[in-house]
Amino acid sequence: MGLEQKLGNMGVVTARLEDLVNWGRTNAMWPLGFGLACCAIEMMSAQASHYDMSRFGMELMRASPRQSDLMIVAGRVSRKMAPVLRRLYDQMPDPKWVLSMGDCASCGGVYNNYAIVQGVDEIVPVDVYVAGCPPRPEALIDGIIKLHERVRRSHPFKGETVAPIKV
Amino acid sequence: MITEILKGMFITFREIFKPPVTIQYPEVKRPVRQRFRGRHELRRYADGLERCIGCALCAAACPADAIYVEASENTDEQRYSPGERYAKTYEINMLRCIFCGYCEDACPTDAIVLTDAYELSAFSRKDLIYTKDMLIVPPPAGKPGTPQKVEEGAYNRSILPEGLVSEP
């Protein structure tokens, strides 16, 4: 951009700091290994060699919330699990994102009863919802790509300034 | 013990020469099975009329209460579907739907079918409530959409003869 045009070919490329930070954030977004139910099987499948989420820099399912950036809520959240989930979310360092995978995590799904939290967004702020019961590994990866798009379009220090794209 | 390690290492070594199994997902899509159940669609007859007659049997069959149907009356001036009624509002909450296919089984006119599409993700819960406009297929080439103005008494029955033939 600007600088190279003025000074000619210097063998360097300049970029906006915001773009570089977002590039780093989207290409090494480590998920928290947090499987709750059958969706976790599909999450593991997305991690395995056929779909291989390490292509997106997500090869490590961190066992500790302190080392993770993305929480994939894979499965139904019972009322008993809810405080644990919130605690894990609070322990994750900023910036952090939440992907609600599957019907049960997103809105209770078929379990419309007193034992299940009717949508994990009652407890934590959710960035992307993935529908499916359970979603295919491809559908999960599609949701992750949409989350990456959202991160890319947001300002790394001021938060989301651009409205997310309508799907 | 050495032989076991060598055996294991030989398997690792053998795999080096095999092509990778990874499917490069966003670019390459693995074809789904024939009986895969994904996102729904509402179909039309060959003349462009909607198959759905707003009977709400799908909503009754739905184990997750994901479907909401509101029916309204057809007239010959403004005809949406054969017979008396059509679905004025047809909404499916994709976050409730468990893709069991019971709606497909319950439908008397084969209006609702589950397709291959599985990429259902959005930034808000509201975006995943699919309305009738999103679910209904476009009319066949060269045919008008709905509502249509038809001759009086041409569509007295709720199912056209072609609807009685179960399609694959």
Side-chain angles (χ1 to χ4, degrees), chain A residues 65-68 86-94 96:
Chain A
R66 305 268 186 216
Q67 298 163 351
S68 51
R86 178 70 213 191
R87 185 170 200 172
L88 286 172
Y89 177 78
D90 288 339
Q91 285 176 345
M92 282 162 65
D94 276 328
K96 51 194 172 185

Side-chain angles (χ1 to χ4, degrees), chain A residues 56-121:
Chain A
F56 306 97
M58 304 177 87
E59 56 268 67
L60 288 161
M61 281 290 196
R62 299 312 301 193
S64 160
R66 305 268 186 216
Q67 298 163 351
S68 51
D69 308 299
L70 169 68
M71 178 188 254
I72 301 176
V73 186
R76 77 281 176 283
V77 182
S78 59
R79 294 263 168 221
K80 204 168 180 180
M81 195 66 187
V84 182
L85 189 137
R86 178 70 213 191
R87 185 170 200 172
L88 286 172
Y89 177 78
D90 288 339
Q91 285 176 345
M92 282 162 65
D94 276 328
K96 51 194 172 185
W97 295 276
V98 179
L99 187 143
S100 168
M101 180 184 180
D103 286 5
C104 304
S106 303
C107 74
V110 76
Y111 301 110
N112 191 358
N113 62 29
Y114 65 89
I116 303 296
V117 175
Q118 295 298 304
V120 78
D121 48 7

Side-chain angles (χ1 to χ4, degrees), chain A residues 1 15-26 152 154 156:
Chain A
M1 292 284 217
R16 288 164 67 218
L17 179 65
E18 290 90 338
D19 291 344
L20 278 177
V21 171
N22 282 342
W23 174 77
R25 282 180 182 176
T26 50
R152 241 177 251 125
S154 65

Side-chain angles (χ1 to χ4, degrees), chain B residues 2-30:
Chain B
I2 295 289
T3 47
E4 274 86 23
I5 290 174
L6 286 176
K7 226 178 186 175
M9 293 309 277
F10 175 70
I11 289 170
T12 314
F13 182 73
R14 203 177 55 195
E15 291 297 318
I16 292 173
F17 302 103
K18 289 190 181 167
V21 291
T22 308
I23 298 150
Q24 301 293 328
Y25 161 64
E27 292 86 27
V28 184
K29 285 180 185 168
R30 188 186 219 179

